[in-house]
Amino acid sequence: MPKLVIEGGKSLKGEIKLQGAKNSVLPILAATILSEEESVIHGCPNLSDVAITVEILNFLGCKTKFEGESLIINPKNINKNKIPEMYMRKMRSSIIFLGALISRMGCAEISLPGGCELGPRPLDLHFSGLRQLGMISEESHGKIKCNVGRGLVGNNIVLSFPSVGATENLILSAVKAKGETIITNAAREPEIQDLANYLNKCGAKIRGAGEGTIKIEGVDRLQGAHYSIIPDRIAAITYMAATAVTSGDILINRVYPEHLSSVIPIFEECGCIIEIFDKGKLRLIAPERLLSNAVIRTMPYPGFPTDAQPPIMTMLCAAEGSSIIIENIFESRYKHVGELLRLGADIKVEGRTAIVNGVKRLSGADVRAEDLRGAAALVVAGLCAEGTTKISGLRHIDRGYEDIEGNLCKIGANIKRI
Ligand code: UD1
C-alpha cells in the first residue's frame, strides 16, 4: 500500500505554482460535450478525478488527447448516453454529466453516485431543478433513466440551498434549452463563474454567474473554445497552511487572492503576514509560533469554504489558544479528527462543532486518510509533527492534489512516497 512518509519540522521556503482548479476542470470537461466542435482546455491538473472524467469522455465517444497541461477534446462523434456504474461509483462528481448529456443527447442513463465519505449527499436539488426544465426521470434497479421529451424549456428555478453541483447541472441543461432560465439562490463559487466563462466563450448566453441570480438565454448551438482553468483556491489554502505550521515563507504563483478573501483573515489572525502582488502572486510569511482564538463557520461562497476546513483545523491545532469550527455544509466532515488525535492534537467534536485547543507540538505517527481534504489535513500535520508521519489512503489525495510531494519537496519538505 503506497504511503507518504514525512519527516516533520522542516521550514517550508520557496515558490510554488498553483495547479488548475479541480472543481472547475471537472464540470468544464463535462461541458465540452455540449458542442460538436473541438475544445482545448489549458491548465488541466494531473489528478485521478481528471483521469476518470477523461475515461468517461472517451467512453461516450469523444476523442481526447493531452498535450502537456492542455487537454484536447473532440466530442463530434459521441454515440452513448449512459454512464456506467463503475464511473458513477468512482467519482461522485460524475453526476455533472447528467446535465451535459441531456443537453447534448436528449436522454441519459446514470446510476446513483457511490457512497460518499462526507455523509449523505442527496441529489434532490439537481433533480427537481432539471424536472422544472422539462427532464423526465424514472428510477428502477439502481438506474435512473432521463429524457427531455420534445426538448428542455427555460424556467424560473429557485434553489432552497445554493448547491454547487445542482447549479452546474442546471447551467449545463439550460444553455441550449428554449427560452430563458433564471436560477435564484444559485451557488456563487468561482468555479461556477469559470464554467459560465467557458460556455460563454463557446457562444452561450449566461449572465450573473458568480452572483446569486443567474440568467441564461438558451442558444441553438455552441462552438468549441480554447479555455484556461482558474487556479485551485483550495490547493492554495493547503500550501498556505503547510507554510504557516512550519514557520515558513512561500510565494504562490498564479493565485487569485480575491478567491481567498474569507480565509486570508484567519491566517492573519494567527500571526501570518500576507502580501499580495500584481500578476497573481501571494506571499505568506509565518511567525515562529501561531496564535489563534478563531471562530470559523463553513458557509457557501463567499463564506469560509468547507473544503478548507480540514487543513485549517490542523493549523489551529498547532496554534497557541483555543479555536472553534462549526461545519455547516457537510455532516461527516470530521473524519480527519481521529487521525489528528493520534498525532497528539487536542480536539473535541460535538455534532457540527469542533473545539480545537492548540498544542505545543504534534508528534509523528501512522495515520490513514479517509477523504480528500482530510488527507490534506494529515499532510499539513505531518509537516510540523516531530519525527516521522506515515499517511496511507493516498487515493484520496491523488484525486485533488497534483504531485503534492514533489511540490512540497521543492520548498524544503522532507516527504516521499513509498
Ligand atoms: C462541491 C465541490 C466540493 C465542495 C462542495 C461545497 C465539486 C466537484 N465539489 O460539491 O468540493 O465541498 O461543492 O462547496 O465541485 N445538497 C442537497 N441536495 C442536493 C445537492 C446538495 O441537500 O441536491 C446538500 C449537500 O448534501 C451538502 C450541501 O448541499 O450538504 C452542499 O452540497 P453541494 O454544494 O451540492 O456540493 P457538491 O456540488 O457535491
Side-chain angles (χ1 to χ4, degrees):
M1 186 195 295
K3 287 185 180 184
L4 282 178
V5 180
I6 307 174
E7 297 298 332
K10 301 273 185 288
S11 189
L12 301 187
K13 291 202 168 84
E15 236 176 286
I16 256 184
K17 183 180 161 234
L18 266 193
Q19 64 186 59
K22 171 181 93 70
N23 288 353
S24 270
V25 73
L26 302 180
I28 288 176
L29 290 181
T32 60
I33 70 169
L34 263 56
S35 163
E36 297 202 0
E37 295 176 12
E38 182 176 285
S39 278
V40 184
I41 306 303
H42 303 290
C44 229
N46 184 5
L47 306 172
S48 61
D49 271 9
V50 170
I52 296 168
T53 307
V54 171
E55 279 182 48
I56 296 176
L57 290 169
N58 292 338
F59 173 84
L60 294 173
C62 296
K63 286 210 171 82
T64 58
K65 190 176 154 208
F66 271 104
E67 278 184 4
E69 283 188 357
S70 300
L71 177 60
I72 305 164
I73 304 109
N74 187 333
K76 188 165 191 289
N77 295 323
I78 287 191
N79 54 10
K80 293 199 187 70
N81 57 21
K82 294 181 189 170
I83 311 269
E85 190 172 341
M86 141 180 104
Y87 294 128
M88 297 298 301
R89 278 191 183 278
K90 269 193 200 167
M91 189 181 67
R92 190 191 143 84
S93 39
S94 50
I95 190 67
I96 222 63
F97 274 94
L98 174 58
L101 271 176
I102 58 168
S103 181
R104 168 76 191 259
M105 307 294 280
C107 54
E109 187 180 309
I110 58 163
S111 46
L112 285 173
C116 176
E117 66 276 7
L118 303 179
R121 286 170 88 172
L123 295 171
D124 53 321
L125 300 172
H126 297 242
F127 279 92
S128 70
L130 293 172
R131 277 191 210 109
Q132 289 175 69
L133 293 177
M135 184 186 85
I136 302 158
S137 63
E138 185 193 320
E139 189 178 344
S140 64
H141 306 293
K143 300 255 187 297
I144 308 172
K145 289 185 180 168
C146 306
N147 73 76
V148 301
R150 289 202 190 145
L152 296 165
V153 180
N155 203 346
N156 286 349
I157 298 165
V158 182
L159 291 175
S160 57
F161 181 87
S163 154
V164 174
T167 303
E168 290 167 346
N169 253 330
L170 290 171
I171 291 176
L172 290 168
S173 313
V175 279
K176 285 167 62 186
K178 278 207 167 47
E180 188 181 60
T181 298
I182 301 178
I183 310 171
T184 304
N185 199 24
R188 293 189 276 167
E189 269 69 2
E191 294 78 19
I192 300 278
Q193 218 172 335
D194 213 23
L195 172 65
N197 287 344
Y198 163 73
L199 285 166
N200 283 342
K201 218 172 169 197
C202 297
K205 292 189 176 162
I206 307 169
R207 285 174 294 139
E211 294 160 26
T213 303
I214 301 179
K215 294 187 178 168
I216 304 162
E217 201 184 313
V219 295
D220 288 340
R221 62 176 293 279
L222 295 177
Q223 70 247 16
H226 279 245
Y227 192 76
S228 292
I229 300 290
I230 56 168
D232 195 306
R233 61 196 168 103
I234 307 299
I237 293 164
T238 305
Y239 290 120
M240 288 164 76
T243 307
V245 296
T246 60
S247 309
D249 178 348
I250 54 161
L251 185 70
I252 306 183
N253 281 310
R254 212 186 156 255
V255 65
Y256 290 176
E258 64 272 27
H259 293 170
L260 308 176
S261 53
S262 63
V263 184
I264 285 175
I266 306 290
F267 284 102
E268 288 175 332
E269 272 178 44
C270 285
C272 298
I273 297 168
I274 308 264
E275 293 171 4
I276 292 166
F277 305 97
D278 288 349
K279 298 190 182 139
K281 286 181 197 279
L282 180 149
R283 182 177 177 194
L284 182 145
I285 308 160
E288 263 315 298
R289 180 86 171 109
L290 296 164
L291 298 172
S292 172
N293 292 302
V295 178
I296 294 173
R297 294 177 182 81
T298 64
M299 306 280 265
Y301 192 85
F304 188 96
T306 173
D307 287 354
Q309 178 261 105
I312 293 291
M313 177 185 274
T314 302
M315 178 172 83
L316 302 179
C317 288
E320 200 176 319
S322 294
S323 310
I324 297 174
I325 297 178
I326 303 150
E327 173 55 62
N328 290 311
I329 307 294
F330 290 114
E331 266 178 40
S332 305
R333 202 153 205 185
Y334 285 136
K335 288 198 176 151
H336 47 285
V337 168
E339 304 302 294
L340 289 174
L341 295 180
R342 282 175 193 268
L343 298 171
D346 177 354
I347 307 165
K348 290 181 186 64
V349 175
E350 178 64 45
R352 289 176 177 263
T353 304
I355 298 172
V356 184
N357 296 309
V359 293
K360 279 222 169 75
R361 67 187 62 81
L362 296 173
S363 59
D366 286 11
V367 287
R368 181 172 177 76
E370 299 287 349
D371 61 55
L372 165 58
R373 304 303 169 185
L378 298 179
V379 170
V380 174
L383 291 168
C384 69
E386 248 177 33
T388 310
T389 298
K390 291 185 184 162
I391 306 173
S392 58
L394 299 191
R395 70 186 170 88
H396 295 294
I397 204 139
D398 293 336
R399 287 185 44 222
Y401 291 88
E402 184 175 74
D403 190 17
I404 192 163
E405 64 270 28
N407 279 323
L408 288 169
C409 272
K410 271 187 220 144
I411 54 173
N414 185 341
I415 175 170
K416 61 181 182 224
R417 189 178 288 239
I418 56 163

